[in-house]
Amino acid sequence: MADRRSATIKDVAAAAGVGIATVSRVFSGTGAVAEATRERVLAAARELDYRPSALGRGLKLRRSGGIGLIVPDVTDPFCAELVAGVLACARTLGGHVVVDAAHGDPEREAEIVDRFVEQRVDGIIARPAGDAADWRAAARVCSSVVFADRVLPGLAEIPTVLADDAGGVRSLVEYLVGLGHRRIAFLGAAAPGGEPGVRERAFRDTLDRLGVPVEEDLVVAARPARDAAYAAAAGLLQRRADVTAVVAAEHLLGEAAVLVARELDLRVPADVSIAMVDDVPWAELCDPPLTAVARPGHDIGYRACELLLREPARRGRGGPVRLPTELVVRGSCGALRSGRR
């Protein structure tokens, strides 16, 4: 039996009663096409089992048709959710994604960007590790760039999708103060240049607004690594036996606080309440389960991909897109008691 001939763009145009150029606009996403016409073209394509040639389209447009995605670490639970969101959106819109990890290294990130540009991807989504100067140069040579989960000052022209981290930390601090805590420690990630990050600023501002003094000795920064996080948590809880609550700015620091409390035989929450930013899966498995600020990693990835592929006209307008966070209250935080046993 002879092989069935694959349908061509001419076949789709004839079946839909339109010109070849109209079919091309429908599948490339460029140019205006009436909705009724678009649906007629898609119906004809389905009937004929027509599949556009990605290779041919890429040669014509000098683009690969793919999205380059750069994250710090694909094994990190939050990054994994972000990647899943980008993949889900790209699948819906007919795109494909190439993922790479920079591990927080600006030089490695720059190499990945160069490779994506050489591959002529349609755009890049990144949680940037480099500074504004690096990405300003990258944006000049790449057709489009969208940032996810981190904003770079001075690059207002690059669209950014963020979680409302300040609002999440604010709700968490208000909750702890409402439980009676006044000596609240903050375990934060060391920020570039030593400047306080969004979460630390929200922690300080909320305590100040509630009339609770910020003790500098209780604000500790650590590198984003397990050994550094553990050392920071151990130093804090051993040095300040009067701490009644700990806010960890990310899940590595929250994990370190839980481990140190266990090793110091501190009861949670009877001796110290612990809460963190990022509601990763293991938070529910702690004993007691950990109170956390849930950040919408999947939605951030999905929205960033939408901005890149579906809504180019909205890029850079009105500042970053901020998605809400949610305070998930569990058993690791309790009302203030007289002190550690």
Side-chain angles (χ1 to χ4, degrees), residues 255-299:
E255 176 185 295
V258 171
L259 290 175
V260 170
R262 184 179 301 164
E263 292 185 5
L264 295 178
D265 198 25
L266 298 177
R267 299 167 299 166
V268 178
D271 296 325
V272 61
S273 292
I274 298 176
M276 69 179 181
V277 177
D278 277 338
D279 187 22
V280 294
W282 61 259
E284 288 186 284
L285 304 179
C286 287
D287 185 19
L290 213 61
T291 293
V293 174
R295 304 173 66 241
H298 187 280
D299 292 347

Side-chain angles (χ1 to χ4, degrees), residues 172-173 176 181-188 203 218-220 229 232-234 236-238 240 242-250 253-258 260-261 266 268-269 271-277 290-292 332-334 340:
L172 178 53
V173 174
L176 290 172
H181 295 280
R182 296 297 180 269
R183 291 192 178 91
I184 305 173
F186 183 82
L187 283 172
F203 173 81
L218 298 183
V219 179
V220 180
L236 169 70
L237 291 176
Q238 288 176 332
R240 292 293 300 264
D242 57 340
V243 167
T244 65
V246 175
V247 173
E250 58 182 41
L253 294 164
E255 176 185 295
V258 171
V260 170
L266 298 177
V268 178
D271 296 325
V272 61
S273 292
I274 298 176
M276 69 179 181
V277 177
L290 213 61
T291 293
S332 66
C333 296
R340 297 185 192 175

Side-chain angles (χ1 to χ4, degrees), residues 310-337:
R310 179 180 283 172
E311 304 177 39
R314 294 189 59 184
R315 297 178 194 160
R317 294 186 179 181
V321 176
R322 296 187 188 275
L323 303 182
T325 56
E326 178 186 2
L327 177 61
V328 181
V329 176
R330 300 192 180 101
S332 66
C333 296
L336 179 68
R337 301 191 183 186

Side-chain angles (χ1 to χ4, degrees), residues 100-325:
D100 209 333
H103 297 288
D105 182 353
E107 292 186 3
R108 182 168 181 173
E109 181 177 78
E111 293 173 358
I112 297 170
V113 171
D114 288 343
R115 186 166 66 253
F116 283 162
V117 171
E118 289 174 0
Q119 294 171 351
R120 298 186 180 278
V121 297
D122 286 346
I124 296 175
I125 299 172
R127 188 191 186 282
D131 57 24
D134 296 333
W135 277 100
R136 188 174 288 110
R140 284 197 295 266
V141 296
C142 184
S143 59
S144 55
V145 176
V146 174
F147 290 154
D149 197 44
R150 186 187 174 202
V151 64
L152 290 183
L155 289 180
E157 69 275 14
I158 296 182
T160 306
V161 184
L162 305 169
D164 182 14
D165 287 343
V169 172
R170 183 165 55 246
S171 64
L172 178 53
V173 174
E174 289 172 346
Y175 172 65
L176 290 172
V177 172
L179 291 174
H181 295 280
R182 296 297 180 269
R183 291 192 178 91
I184 305 173
F186 183 82
L187 283 172
E195 293 296 322
V198 171
R199 300 174 196 181
E200 181 181 333
R201 289 198 301 271
F203 173 81
R204 292 175 175 273
D205 292 345
T206 306
L207 285 182
D208 182 67
R209 179 172 55 81
L210 296 175
V212 179
V214 177
E215 298 186 45
E216 294 301 327
D217 192 40
L218 298 183
V219 179
V220 180
R223 291 182 295 104
R226 276 189 166 81
D227 56 348
Y230 181 88
L236 169 70
L237 291 176
Q238 288 176 332
R239 185 179 69 252
R240 292 293 300 264
D242 57 340
V243 167
T244 65
V246 175
V247 173
E250 58 182 41
H251 64 85
L252 276 181
L253 294 164
E255 176 185 295
V258 171
L259 290 175
V260 170
R262 184 179 301 164
E263 292 185 5
L264 295 178
D265 198 25
L266 298 177
R267 299 167 299 166
V268 178
D271 296 325
V272 61
S273 292
I274 298 176
M276 69 179 181
V277 177
D278 277 338
D279 187 22
V280 294
W282 61 259
E284 288 186 284
L285 304 179
C286 287
D287 185 19
L290 213 61
T291 293
V293 174
R295 304 173 66 241
H298 187 280
D299 292 347
I300 289 174
Y302 198 101
R303 190 73 181 92
C305 189
E306 275 192 324
L307 281 176
L308 190 74
L309 297 180
R310 179 180 283 172
E311 304 177 39
R314 294 189 59 184
R315 297 178 194 160
R317 294 186 179 181
V321 176
R322 296 187 188 275
L323 303 182
T325 56

Side-chain angles (χ1 to χ4, degrees), residues 69-105:
L69 174 58
I70 308 174
V71 294
D73 182 359
V74 293
T75 65
D76 178 87
F78 179 82
C79 290
E81 284 293 307
L82 191 151
V83 170
V86 173
L87 292 175
C89 180
R91 192 179 304 115
T92 300
L93 299 180
H96 69 273
V97 182
V98 181
V99 185
D100 209 333
H103 297 288
D105 182 353

